[in-house]
Every structure is written in structure tokens, then in C-alpha cells.
């Protein structure tokens, strides 16, 4: 092409036909060497654009006549590349290349040749250095010497003006681009027939007009022809140069065509000898690979075709998980490997329908399993229900795990609600079966005519209590079964959760390893360079497109895709084959645990299962719901038992129970509550609440009975010292040993021992009345009730405090208030009665801290404030004891006041008054000495002595006897000495300091 002809060859350093300055000289043809050298002139624009528009546009456009000597853009040099790359066109629709090879020719990137070197500017550096000096000389000469064309500018201008004046004579209508004689308006304008006469007339005027018109048109034609001839004469040289260039171009094209024909012949020979055989081998290889792929596809289609019968076979053995996995695998294969297969166009919808059917079957099977498991006879063990209908059937645990795994896979997370409903029905059946079994053993009742709750009320307490114990036992077994079942479900959920977490961790690790391996591969590629030449040639030979780079890319992609497709199809085929084989040759017992299934999956399989499994948040919620369901099972069991309890209590029979019976009932309930709490991990309150309400009623009746009994005993108490039976002494001793409870049975030999006069407590002897002994037994009964029924501790404590207050107030009314005179019929309240009452109160005060400590161990720290009742009671008892002591002193004071008011200081001595006083003191000492302890007796007689001294001192003051050593003083001292000897002669008062000198007035 012209662009290639104009390129200069590389400069030569020496030799050849180069000149002395080392520059390459282009050889010339000998025939043209002798000619005078003329500078090349611009080629004329042989095909200029015709002007369009009206006359104004015609005047403004270039004119061949007027502008023949003026340079325009149409005089610029053009060549073939410039014509092909016309900047005025957005797309080269009319180019030669785009017409032949399409529009993609211009948009495709040409891959550099493997056999041509990369030419850079450095290759021309030596040539540019050699021609630099000559280029400078050429530029300097070009600026000094004017151009030859510039010298003829005035001549050209004059000719141009002359030609323009001649052309202006021609009308403008002939110069218009839309000049067409077919147009009537144009024809009439050029040939004005209106100037002529009617057609057919031949007058002279018409002939002259026609001749004049013909001459005018001939003149116009001559002007135009002269202008055209002038333009041709001016451009003749360029025209002949173009013609000669055209002939030379045709010769070269002919040579090129011959060279192309030879090249095609050689290429055909090369194709026949060297390419057809290898290409045939490659085509056969590709055909073989395609046949292998087709064979694998057919095998895969055969395996997919067996999906439906295999799923039906798995469903017949309740293998839901295997059926679901087979359906999921088949769906994936249909979407990835067998997409577009016409014969399988309805298989996807059929598999979806089967999946929905499996969902319903799994829910129904789970409901049936829950019914069978929860309604089993109570005689069976607590293990998971086993399906023994077939010898080769899987155990109940595997069956339950399979069901739960399938439900989780299908996101049927509401299966726990089904289990909850079945659990409620089963709990009702537990109570009903227990009542029917107990009623069937009673011959006198008719189960058909009397309702169950009425039959329970007709039972004796022992029979009803046995029924309650059986119900408790059955519910414990019921909860154990539920716990075992829920633990299996929870383990499946946790295993699925753990499997999903492990799969995510493995995927993260695989992604990191993949990125590292990819980086290593990139480094290896950089070191290795480009693709090997053999692979490039193979890609080039097998590629049918335009560029080798596309061939290489397609070859690599085809190889990678073929490998992945082959491996994926092989895995799917093996999976389907194994499922089919296991479905047709093995039973349900041959499958392993679902944890083994999930843990043994490869990374891809685990991720596929993870896609269909619930999220970690949903699985965690299911695990929490399982624990809540166990709590609900405990609550349901307690609710059912509470209804049994309240049914019995409707007629008030539980309130009429004895203490031992109610304690047995309370212990049974507490034992059941404890067992359920250990099983379920949470304490239910419904049964405890029912028992608590009955316990309040029981405590009310229990307290009223003992309070009434204590009132009756106090009203009949004569306040005389009672003998202490051996059993009460043993009871007190057990309290001292820390056993604050009633003995379970009487000690052997206690009936043979004689009762003692005093009650020995902590080394002290207490003279008591019979009511106090029974009171001790009563508050031990209260403490025993707290031990047996801890839930009523606070209620019992308040009732016991009320009992102690009642004893204190009633005893005060009867003794200090002398109520026993009217109630019992006593003649008088003696000092012995007072001392005995005081000693009984002291015994009760001794046991109040013991009772307080006992209750404190049964109370919560926040309930300690209720213990203040014992502090108030202790204060009341101590005040009562002080009042009794003051009463004893008051009795003696009244006697002293009465006796000493008649005292006279005269012989004989000792006086009768003092004799009577000493006699009364001795009587009182005799009455209280055995009842009160020695220290208390001494304190009491010190107070009596102080009262005696006070009254004696007053009497002496009235008598005017003073400490003057006179006769009266001596007589008084004789009486005082008699008094002191008599008082100190009493037991335990020998060392009593009477301090008798205080009877005398102190001298001032």
C-alpha cells in the first residue's frame, strides 16, 4: 500500500551504494535520471463535493473557474490511509475493511506478532544522528530560497479575474446543483416559449427569437468549455502524473495478486500435508471427550431418573432425612448439570411436591411418636421409645434424631408446639389412669355412675394418699421420659449448630489457603513468563476466531470448566448412586447417627446443608425453647397434681386431717417438688401454692385446737406442783441435746420409771404444773410441724407466738388476777401458787431462745424481722415474773404493816409481834424454798427484809425509840437479834446480810 511504499529503510553504516557521508541514496531509474527534476505538485481534487443549497451557497462554495489559482483545502495531498481514516465520519461504514470483515474489525485489539521484534525509537537513534546536520542545512536553505509557485501569483490572479468575469455572463441558474430540465419551472426559465407564437406558426419574429436564444446558449457553452479547457491545461501535468501512478499501482497490484496466489497455494499444501492430520487428531480427541461427557451426562440422567422410586422406597421405611437429601441433591443437579433437559422439565415441580408431602409425613410421624412415647405404660423404663414392629427397624433414638434433623432441615421449627400439646394430653391421661386404677380396686363404688372427682372424695385418706403417691411416681417417670426425649432433640440441635460453625470455620480457612495459593501461582506465572509455545500453537490451530489471545483464553477456560464439570458430575453421580444403592439394598437401620452424617460431610456438602438449615440464631432459639418446654412439663405436672389436691380439699377433708396425716401429705408433696426440681432444673409453684393454701387452713385449725386445749387446761389448773412423767423428762433432755422435735416412739422402759417431783433442765430443777408440761409438748409440736412443712414457717411462728402470749395473759388472769378463785374454785391464791406460776413462766422463758434459734434456721434472711415477736414475748414474761415477785413482797409488806403497827417496846422479850413476824417469814420460806432457786429466794428475802426494816423503823420513830443505849434501845435490840437469828436459821439464808442497823435514824 502507499503507506508502506513511503517508509524509509534502515540506514546502513558502510558499504553498498551509500555516499561518502554514510547516508543511504535511493536508486533511480536510468530513463528518468536524465530528465529535468520537477518538484511534485499537489494532486487536483478530481472528485470534489458538489455544493448544495440555493444560490447563496453556490457563491460561497469553491468554484472551479474562479478559484482555480487560489489554494484551498481541496488542494491538500491525500493517500489511501488518509481516505480510509476520514475524520468526518463517526463510524467507517463505507470503509473497505468494515464492508469486508464487519464492524468488529475496528473494535478488536490486534495481538502483537510472536515473530516480529518490537521497534522503538532507539533503533533510529544512529540514523537521526547522521541526518541531523543535513536536516539543519535543508531547513536553512528552504527559508532563504522562495518557492517557485509563489513567483507566478500575480499572473494566476489576473487569469483568475478574467475567467471569473467571463463566467459571470452565464446565468446562475445553470450553476445550481438542482438544475434539471425535467422541472417545468426550470425548463420555462431556460426556454421562454411564451415569447413565441402558437405552435405551428413560422413567422420571422419567432425564427429570430429562436436563433438569438440558440446563439446565447452556444455562447454560454463556449465560455464554459473555454474555462474547462483552461483548467485542464493548468492541471494537465498533475492529471498525467495521476494516470502514470495509476498504471504503476495496477502493475504492483498484479504482482501482489500473483504473490498472494502463490502464498495460497503454498498454504493449501501446508494445510494438506501438515495440518489436516493433526487437526483430525485434535477433532477426534475433542469428539472422544464430548462422548465421555455425554456418557457421564446419560449416567447422571439415569441416576436422576431413579430419584422418585428411590424417594418412595426411603419414605416407606420412614427415612425422611435420606429422602430430603436425595431430593436436594437432585434439585441441585437439575439446576447445575442437567438444566434445559426437556425430559426433566416437570421433575423439579414433582420433587417440590414430594418435599411438601414429606413435610406433612414428618409432622404426622413426629406427632405419632410423641403420642406413643408419652402414653406408654408406666411399667416400662424411661428410655426413648423403640420401634420394634420390624426386626431390622432402627431404635427409637435414631428414629427421633432422624425426625428432628428432617424437621430442622425443612425449617419446621414449630414441632415443639406439637410435642407440647401431646404432653398436655398425656399429663391428663396420667391422672385419669391413676384414678381409674385406684377406683377399680374399690368394690363398693360404681365407676360408671359416679364421677371421678366424687369417687376421689369418697376414698379414705389412706387410699387417696396412696393414689396421690402413685400419681407423683407416674409424673416423675413422665418427666424423666420427657427429659430424655428433649435431651435427644437438644443434642441434635446442638450438633447441627456445631456443624454449621465448623463448616464456616473450614470455609474461612479454605479461603485463606486459596488466596495464598493464588498468590503463589501468580508468582510462578511471573517467573515462568508467558504460555509455552506448544500450547500457543495448539490453541492457534484449534481456534476458529481471529486472534490467538482469544484462542488461548478460550482454551484455558474450556480446560478449567471441563475439569470442574467432570468432577462435579462425578460427585453427584456417586452420591446418587450411593443413595440408590442404600435405598434398594439396605434398610433404615444401616444409616448412621445424624451427627456422623453432618460431621463426615465434605466442605461443599456441609455448606450445602448449612444453606438449608436454620440460622445460628434460630437454632439457639430452638435450644432455649427445648429448655422452656421441660419447664412447662414440670408446670403441667404440678398443675395436674394440684387439681387432684384441690378436688380432695373441696369438702374440707384436708382441713380435718390429723397432724401426722397432714405432715405425711406435706412430705410427699415436698419430695415430689424436690424430685421435679432436680429433673427439670426449676421449681414449680402451682402444687406448692395449693399445698400452702391448705397448710394455712391446717395451721389455723391446728392452732385453734391447741389454743382451745391450752385454755381448757388453764381453766382447770389448780396451780399445784405436778409430778413430771419420765417421758417429759426425756423430751426435755432431747431438747437439751439439740433435737427440737417430738420423739418418733416412746423409749423402752419409760413407763416403768416413776415420775419425779421436779423437771431437770440444764442442771436446774423446775417445779411445774401439768399445763406447762403440755405447753412444752405443744410448742414442740409446732416446731415439729415446721420441720415437716417448711413452707408454713412464718405462719406457724406467728401462731406459736400467739399461743405463748395466750398462756402468759391467761395465767396472769388466773393467778395474779385471782381468776382461779372463780374458775377453779380455789379458796385463795397462796404464795406457793404465785411461786409455782413464776417458776413455770421462767421455764417458758428459758425455752423461748431455743425456739427462736430453731425458727431462725428455717427462715430466709429477709424474714428475720418476724423474730421480734419472741423479743416481745420474752419481755412480757419477764414483766410477769417481776409482777409475781412484787406480789410476794407486797403480801409480806401488808403483814409487816399490820403486825408492826401494834409493836410495843416492853418486856417480855422477844415480843409477841416479832414472834408472829418470824413465824410468817418461816411459813413463806417453807412455801417457796423448794419452788424457787436459791439465788432468787435470797433476792426475794432481801426485798422482804428491806420492807421489814422500813416498817420497823417507822414504828420505832412513832414510839420515839432512838439509838441512845437506853433500856428501850436494849429491848429493841433483843427483838432484832431474835429476828436475825430466825431469818438466818432458814435454809439458804445463813449468809444473808440483813444490815439491821438501818432501822435507826442517823444522828445529824
Amino acid at each position: 500500500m502507499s503507506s508502506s511504499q513511503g517508509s524509509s529503510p534502515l540506514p546502513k553504516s558502510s558499504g553498498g551504494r551509500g555516499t561518502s557521508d554514510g547516508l543511504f541514496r535511493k536508486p533511480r531509474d536510468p530513463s528518468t535520471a536524465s530528465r529535468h527534476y520537477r518538484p511534485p505538485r499537489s494532486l487536483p481534487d478530481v472528485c470534489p463535493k458538489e455544493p448544495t443549497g440555493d444560490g447563496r451557497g453556490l457563491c460561497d462554495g469553491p468554484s472551479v473557474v474562479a478559484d482555480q489559482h487560489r489554494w484551498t483545502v481541496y488542494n491538500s495531498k491525500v493517500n489511501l490511509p488518509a481516505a480510509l481514516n476520514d475524520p468526518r465520519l463517526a463510524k467507517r461504514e463505507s470503509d473497505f475493511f468494515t464492508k469486508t470483515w464487519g464492524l468488529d474489525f475496528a473494535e478488536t485489539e490486534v495481538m502483537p506478532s510472536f515473530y516480529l521484534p518490537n521497534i522503538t525509537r532507539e533503533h533510529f537513534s544512529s540514523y537521526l544522528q547522521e541526518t541531523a546536520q543535513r536536516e539543519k542545512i535543508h531547513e536553512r536553505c528552504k527559508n532563504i530560497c522562495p518557492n517557485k509557485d509563489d513567483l507566478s501569483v500575480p499572473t494566476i490572479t489576473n487569469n483568475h479575474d478574467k475567467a471569473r468575469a467571463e463566467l459571470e455572463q452565464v446565468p446562475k441558474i445553470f450553476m445550481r446543483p438542482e438544475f434539471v430540465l425535467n422541472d417545468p419551472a426550470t425548463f420555462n426559465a431556460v426556454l421562454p416559449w411564451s415569447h413565441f407564437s402558437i405552435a405551428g406558426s413560422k413567422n420571422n419574429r419567432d425564427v429570430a427569437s429562436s436563433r438569438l436564444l440558440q446563439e446565447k446558449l452556444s455562447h454560454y457553452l463556449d465560455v464554459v468549455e473555454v474555462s474547462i479547457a483552461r483548467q485542464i491545461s493548468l492541471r494537465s501535468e498533475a492529471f498525467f502524473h495521476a494516470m502514470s501512478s495509476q498504471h504503476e499501482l495496477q502493475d504492483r497490484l498484479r504482482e501482489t495478486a500473483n504473490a498472494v496466489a502463490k502464498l495460497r497455494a503454498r498454504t493449501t499444501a501446508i494445510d494438506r500435508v501438515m495440518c489436516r492430520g493433526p487437526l483430525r487428531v485434535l477433532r477426534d480427541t475433542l469428539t472422544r471427550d464430548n462422548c465421555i461427557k455425554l456418557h457421564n451426562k446419560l449416567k447422571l440422567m439415569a441416576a436422576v431418573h431413579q430419584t422418585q422410586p428411590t424417594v418412595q422406597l426411603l419414605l416407606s421405611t420412614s427415612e425422611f432425612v435420606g429422602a430430603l437429601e436425595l431430593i436436594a441433591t437432585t434439585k441441585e443437579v437439575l439446576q447445575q448439570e442437567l438444566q434445559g433437559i426437556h425430559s426433566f422439565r416437570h421433575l423439579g415441580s414433582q420433587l417440590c411436591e414430594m418435599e411438601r408431602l414429606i413435610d406433612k409425613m414428618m409432622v404426622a410421624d413426629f406427632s405419632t411418636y410423641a403420642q406413643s412415647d408419652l402414653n406408654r405404660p408406666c411399667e416400662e423404663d424411661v428410655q426413648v421409645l423403640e420401634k420394634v414392629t420390624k426386626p431390622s427397624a432402627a431404635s427409637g433414638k435414631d428414629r427421633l434424631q432422624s425426625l428432628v434433623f428432617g424437621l430442622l432441615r425443612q425449617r419446621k421449627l414449630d414441632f415443639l408446639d406439637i410435642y407440647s400439646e401431646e404432653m398436655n394430653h398425656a399429663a391428663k391421661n396420667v391422672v385419669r389412669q391413676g384414678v381409674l386404677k385406684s377406683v377399680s380396686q374399690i368394690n363398693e363404688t360404681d365407676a360408671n355412675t359416679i364421677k371421678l372427682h366424687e369417687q376421689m372424695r369418697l376414698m379414705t385418706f389412706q387410699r387417696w394418699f396412696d393414689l396421690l403417691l402413685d400419681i407423683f411416681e407416674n409424673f416423675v417417670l413422665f418427666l424423666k421420659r420427657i427429659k430424655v426425649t428433649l435431651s435427644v432433640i437438644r443434642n441434635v440441635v446442638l450438633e447441627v449448630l456445631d456443624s454449621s460453625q465448623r463448616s464456616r470455620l473450614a470455609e474461612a480457612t479454605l479461603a485463606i489457603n486459596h488466596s495464598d495459593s493464588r498468590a503463589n501461582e501468580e508468582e510462578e506465572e511471573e517467573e515462568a513468563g508467558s504460555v509455552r509455545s506448544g500450547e500457543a500453537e495448539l490453541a492457534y490451530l484449534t481456534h476458529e476466531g481471529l486472534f490467538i489471545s482469544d484462542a488461548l483464553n478460550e482454551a484455558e477456560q474450556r480446560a478449567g470448566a471441563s475439569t470442574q464439570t467432570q468432577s462435579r458430575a462425578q460427585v453427584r453421580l456417586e452420591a446418587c448412586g450411593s443413595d440408590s444403592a442404600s435405598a434398594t439394598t439396605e434398610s433404615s437401620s444401616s444409616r448412621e447417627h445424624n451427627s456422623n452424617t453432618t460431621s463426615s460431610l465434605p466442605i461443599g456438602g456441609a455448606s450445602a446443608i448449612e444453606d438449608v438449615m436454620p440460622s445460628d440464631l434460630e437454632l439457639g432459639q430452638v435450644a432455649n425453647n427445648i429448655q422452656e418446654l421441660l419447664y412447662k412439663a414440670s408446670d403441667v405436672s404440678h398443675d395436674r397434681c394440684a387439681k387432684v389436691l384441690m378436688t380432695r380439699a373441696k369438702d374440707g377433708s384436708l382441713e380435718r386431717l390429723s397432724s401426722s396425716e397432714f405432715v405425711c401429705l406435706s412430705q410427699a408433696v415436698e419430695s415430689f417438688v424436690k424430685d421435679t426440681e432436680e429433673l427439670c432444673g426449676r421449681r414449680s409453684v402451682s402444687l406448692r401454692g395449693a399445698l400452702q393454701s391448705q397448710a394455712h387452713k391446717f395451721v389455723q385449725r391446728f392452732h385453734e385446737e391447741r389454743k382451745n386445749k391450752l385454755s381448757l387446761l388453764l381453766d382447770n389448773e389448780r396451780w399445784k406442783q405436778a409430778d413430771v412423767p419420765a417421758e417429759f423428762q426425756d423430751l426435755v433432755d432431747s431438747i437439751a441435746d439439740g433435737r427440737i422435735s417430738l420423739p418418733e416412739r416412746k423409749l423402752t422402759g419409760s413407763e416403768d420409771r416413776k415420775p419425779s417431783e421436779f423437771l431437770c433442765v440444764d442442771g436446774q430443777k423446775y417445779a411445774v404444773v401439768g399445763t406447762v408440761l403440755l405447753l412444752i409438748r405443744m410448742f414442740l409440736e409446732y416446731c415439729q410441724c415446721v420441720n415437716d412443712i417448711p413452707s408454713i414457717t412464718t405462719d406457724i411462728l406467728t401462731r406459736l407466738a400467739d399461743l405463748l402470749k395466750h398462756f402468759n395473759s391467761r395465767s396472769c388472769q388466773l393467778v395474779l388476777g385471782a381468776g382461779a378463785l372463780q374458775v377453779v374454785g380455789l379458796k385463795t391464791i397462796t404464795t406457793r401458787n404465785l411461786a409455782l406460776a413464776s417458776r413455770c413462766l421462767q421455764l417458758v422463758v428459758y425455752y423461748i431462745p431455743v425456739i427462736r434459734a430453731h425458727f431462725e434456721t428455717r427462715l430466709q434472711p429477709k424474714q428475720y424481722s418476724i423474730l421480734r415477736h419472741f423479743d416481745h414475748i420474752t419481755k412480757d414474761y419477764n414483766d410477769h415474773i417481776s409482777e409475781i415477785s412484787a406480789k410476794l413482797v407486797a403480801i409480806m409488806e401488808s403483814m409487816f404493816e399490820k403486825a408492826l403497827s401494834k409493836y410495843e417496846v416492853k418486856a417480855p422479850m422477844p415480843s409477841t409481834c416479832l414472834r408472829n413476824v418470824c413465824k410468817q417469814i418461816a411459813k413463806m420460806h417453807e412455801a417457796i424454798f423448794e419452788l424457787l432457786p436459791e439465788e432468787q429466794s435470797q433476792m426475794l428475802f432481801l426485798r422482804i427484809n428491806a420492807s421489814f426494816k422500813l416498817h420497823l423503823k417507822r414504828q420505832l420513830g412513832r414510839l420515839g425509840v432512838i439509838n441512845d443505849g437506853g433500856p428501850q434501845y436494849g429491848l429493841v435490840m433483843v427483838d432484832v437479834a431474835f429476828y436475825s437469828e430466825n431469818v438466818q436459821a432458814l435454809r439458804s439464808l445463813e449468809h444473808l446480810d440483813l444490815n439491821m442497823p438501818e432501822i435507826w435514824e442517823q444522828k445529824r
Side-chain angles (χ1 to χ4, degrees), residues 67-279:
D67 299 337
Q68 58 180 341
H69 301 293
R70 189 178 63 180
W71 188 92
T72 62
V73 294
Y74 296 96
N75 297 330
S76 62
K77 296 181 180 179
V78 293
N79 52 16
L80 183 59
L84 293 177
N85 295 285
D86 191 352
R88 293 173 296 178
L89 297 178
K91 291 186 179 180
R92 297 179 298 176
E93 293 85 355
S94 60
D95 289 356
F96 170 76
F97 298 104
T98 55
K99 287 182 179 180
T100 304
W101 294 314
L103 295 177
D104 294 337
F105 172 78
E107 299 177 359
T108 306
E109 182 181 358
V110 180
M111 184 176 179
S113 175
F114 292 100
Y115 307 101
L116 295 179
N118 187 16
I119 305 300
T120 62
R121 188 177 180 83
E122 296 178 357
H123 292 82
F124 300 94
S125 59
S126 60
Y127 174 78
L128 293 176
Q129 291 176 1
E130 293 174 356
T131 59
Q133 186 64 28
R134 295 179 62 84
E135 184 180 5
K136 292 179 181 179
I137 297 172
H138 172 72
E139 292 295 334
R140 189 164 52 250
C141 293
K142 184 172 65 175
N143 295 331
I144 295 173
C145 298
N147 193 357
K148 182 180 179 180
D149 294 336
D150 296 339
L151 298 177
S152 59
V153 171
T155 306
I156 295 175
T157 303
N158 295 330
N159 295 332
H160 173 71
D161 294 338
K162 183 179 179 181
R164 187 176 184 86
E166 293 178 352
L167 285 175
E168 286 179 353
Q169 298 176 4
V170 181
K172 298 298 182 181
I173 192 173
F174 294 102
M175 301 298 180
R176 293 179 182 178
E178 64 272 10
F179 177 80
V180 178
L181 289 177
N182 294 335
D183 186 10
T186 304
F187 185 82
N188 292 328
V190 174
L191 298 176
W193 294 104
S194 59
H195 297 170
F196 299 100
S197 299
I198 301 172
S201 62
K202 295 182 180 180
N203 51 16
N204 296 328
R205 184 181 177 182
D206 293 339
V207 172
S209 298
S210 61
R211 288 179 181 177
L212 181 60
L213 178 61
Q214 184 176 5
E215 290 177 357
K216 186 186 295 184
L217 293 177
S218 299
H219 176 69
Y220 294 158
L221 177 62
D222 294 339
V223 171
V224 172
E225 287 179 352
V226 167
S227 179
I228 291 175
R230 186 182 295 110
Q231 291 291 336
I232 292 174
S233 63
L234 290 176
R235 303 188 181 211
S236 59
E237 184 178 358
F239 177 77
F240 290 115
H241 178 70
M243 293 299 294
S244 62
S245 299
Q246 181 70 20
H247 292 309
E248 184 179 359
L249 181 60
Q250 290 179 356
D251 295 338
R252 292 190 180 184
L253 287 176
R254 193 177 298 106
E255 294 176 359
T256 303
N258 295 332
V260 169
K262 292 180 181 179
L263 180 60
R264 287 182 176 179
R266 293 181 181 179
T267 304
T268 303
I270 292 173
D271 176 65
R272 183 178 63 257
V273 175
M274 301 180 61
C275 297
R276 289 184 181 178
L279 287 177

Side-chain angles (χ1 to χ4, degrees), residues 274 467 510 604 924:
M274 301 180 61
L467 168 63
L510 184 62
M924 183 176 182

